Amino acid sequence: MSSQTAPSNPTVDPYQHLQIALNADGTITRLREIPNTPPTPDPSHPTPVLSKDIPLNQSNNTWVRIFLPREALDHNSSTKLPLIVYFHGGGFILYSAASSNFHDFCANMAIDLHVIIVSVEYRLAPEHRLPAAYDDAMEALHWIKTTLDDWLRDYADLSNTFIMGSSAGGNIAYHAGFRASMETDKLEPLVIGGLILHQPGFGGSQRTQSELRDNDPILPLSVCDLVWELSLPIADRDHEYCNPKVGDGPQLLEKIKLLGWKVLVVGYDGDLLFEHQIELVKLMREKGVSVVSQFGEGGYHGIDMFEPAEAKAFQVVLKNFLLSSLVA
């Protein structure tokens, strides 16, 4: 880790890059029209994956999108499918569970991995700064354990549940995992087997070498700085929500170790956040957590969302992790 605290590249306007405008009341206007995909809950629809939206907390306008492989309906076996609770990326401030890129990502996982996905629509910052998204994550887990939804009741193996997130969603998955580890008895019959952190978003006040290089086309350093500024409850990059090495994080990893959870961390050395991810893996190993890491060469932040070959490679890594982690 570098001790340098150099400013981010001033040539990249983060507001223009993200296509957002800051309002006087501290909210933002999201200027970019992000394509959304509607759910397809009708079994007569010719799609390999069915999906439907169910309200979670109407006062917070949160909901979940469930992805069910069609094969589950057609299969006569009583074997149920593992469950992945998923949190989308977007720097805590953009995108939705309905955004087409994340909808397609979840649909492909459901098909290729033979799993059921519950993708959570959580509240976004800065209108709802952290820990609002963590609160929504826990509300989703408690909803899953009590829901009478027929897809989850009939086809999901709640004893093989994994919490997963991409980018900022990886951060949410990590903190939701911490909270869940402290109340496992209250979540039964939902039993968590591990965490899947896909290019997870973490940081700190000290610049890393990858941040100083500042050559990630998707996540320039100035953009990274801005999303933390808009998301954290206070302007401190060493806040425990951002930096996993401070606060109660290291102690809570002891709990995850005792529970026997497995953790997968996937990233690329071309990602601006690469060294923060490496530090997280190192911390977990020091605490005795069973962690699998896979870091590819080159790449950039969110590459799996843009390049099909990398997405397929990630699916292979994820499938192997799940096969080694499922409880018989």
Side-chain angles (χ1 to χ4, degrees):
M1 299 283 288
S2 170
S3 62
Q4 299 181 60
T5 55
S8 54
N9 186 346
T11 63
V12 178
D13 182 334
Y15 290 95
Q16 186 176 41
H17 186 89
L18 294 168
Q19 296 184 44
I20 61 173
L22 183 63
N23 302 317
D25 62 358
T27 64
I28 60 173
T29 299
R30 296 161 178 87
L31 302 172
R32 179 171 32 155
E33 290 190 15
I34 298 173
N36 287 336
T37 298
T40 52
D42 186 353
S44 66
H45 192 279
T47 176
V49 181
L50 302 176
S51 57
K52 65 179 174 182
D53 296 343
I54 300 178
L56 180 62
N57 184 322
Q58 292 184 333
S59 64
N60 289 335
N61 198 28
T62 56
W63 43 273
V64 299
R65 175 164 293 187
I66 306 176
F67 295 82
L68 176 71
R70 175 180 294 280
E71 65 181 19
L73 299 177
D74 301 335
H75 206 290
N76 294 325
S77 172
S78 61
T79 302
K80 293 187 175 183
L81 301 178
L83 175 67
I84 293 178
V85 183
Y86 179 76
F87 301 94
H88 67 80
F92 305 104
I93 67 171
L94 295 173
Y95 294 107
S96 160
S99 298
S100 295
N101 55 344
F102 291 110
H103 174 97
D104 294 345
F105 185 72
C106 288
N108 289 333
M109 279 198 296
I111 297 170
D112 295 342
L113 303 176
H114 309 289
V115 297
I116 294 175
I117 310 282
V118 174
S119 181
V120 181
E121 177 74 354
Y122 55 86
R123 288 171 291 173
L124 299 178
E127 294 81 3
H128 306 280
R129 291 176 178 264
L130 298 174
Y134 307 156
D135 296 339
D136 298 339
M138 288 307 299
E139 189 167 20
L141 293 177
H142 282 282
W143 175 84
I144 291 168
K145 81 158 191 177
T146 58
T147 183
L148 299 178
D149 174 73
D150 57 336
W151 286 7
L152 295 181
R153 182 194 63 214
D154 296 340
Y155 304 111
D157 178 4
L158 298 187
S159 68
N160 274 309
T161 297
F162 295 84
I163 305 177
M164 174 182 177
S166 301
S167 186
N171 176 295
I172 296 169
Y174 183 76
H175 285 281
F178 274 164
R179 292 191 181 190
S181 73
M182 303 305 293
E183 50 182 275
T184 52
D185 56 330
K186 296 179 182 178
L187 289 171
E188 293 179 353
L190 186 149
V191 179
I192 297 165
L195 309 178
I196 301 165
L197 310 180
H198 176 221
Q199 292 193 275
F202 294 99
S205 61
Q206 293 184 328
R207 299 298 198 198
T208 65
Q209 290 301 317
S210 53
E211 288 174 331
L212 291 170
R213 285 194 299 269
D214 195 10
N215 58 1
D216 189 316
I218 299 299
L219 187 63
L221 185 55
S222 61
V223 172
C224 185
D225 286 345
L226 178 61
V227 297
W228 284 121
E229 179 184 328
L230 294 173
S231 304
L232 289 171
I234 57 174
D236 180 8
R237 292 283 283 277
D238 282 330
H239 192 284
E240 61 184 335
Y241 297 162
C242 178
N243 187 343
K245 296 189 293 183
V246 303
D248 294 331
Q251 288 72 38
L252 288 172
L253 285 172
E254 299 280 358
K255 179 67 173 177
I256 288 178
K257 170 193 171 182
L258 293 174
L259 289 169
W261 291 5
K262 294 185 177 181
V263 181
L264 173 65
V265 182
V266 178
Y268 292 84
D269 65 12
D271 184 353
L272 184 85
L273 305 178
F274 168 68
E275 282 157 311
H276 292 299
Q277 296 157 3
I278 290 288
E279 289 292 319
L280 175 63
V281 170
K282 180 181 177 182
L283 175 63
M284 288 192 287
R285 287 186 173 146
E286 289 174 351
K287 295 299 181 180
V289 175
S290 177
V291 57
V292 176
S293 61
Q294 178 81 30
F295 290 99
E297 295 183 1
Y300 49 85
H301 193 70
I303 187 173
D304 306 298
M305 298 294 171
F306 300 96
E307 299 188 20
E310 297 298 335
K312 282 293 183 184
F314 169 68
Q315 301 281 17
V316 172
V317 172
L318 183 49
K319 179 178 287 188
N320 290 336
F321 173 77
L322 289 174
L323 288 174
S324 68
S325 304
L326 294 175
V327 176

